[in-house]
Amino acid sequence: MNDLNIISLIFLSIAIGSQHEPIKFNEISMIADGINHSVPNEKEINQSINILFIKN
């Protein structure tokens, strides 16, 4: 997967998992795995979150 695909997968996982309550870090990986059968590592999740929420 390229960087844009990983970021999109993380963003979608956060959106799905946080509909009713804040999502926990490990839940992001579980949801991403369910969507794409690809478990993002901690570095990929952190980088994606930084890009999604810090960049304008």
Side-chain angles (χ1 to χ4, degrees):
M1 288 181 78
N2 65 34
D3 289 344
L4 188 56
N5 288 342
I6 294 169
I7 294 166
S8 299
L9 179 62
I10 299 303
F11 183 63
L12 179 59
S13 299
I14 292 170
I16 290 170
S18 63
Q19 289 179 8
H20 301 289
E21 60 186 28
I23 190 169
K24 295 178 182 157
F25 196 84
N26 65 328
E27 292 172 335
I28 296 170
S29 290
M30 292 185 331
I31 293 171
D33 182 34
I35 294 169
N36 193 36
H37 303 292
S38 174
V39 178
N41 61 42
E42 186 175 341
K43 180 180 177 183
E44 292 171 328
I45 294 172
N46 283 325
Q47 287 176 340
S48 297
I49 290 171
N50 285 332
I51 290 169
L52 291 168
F53 295 106
I54 295 175
K55 273 192 169 181
N56 291 327

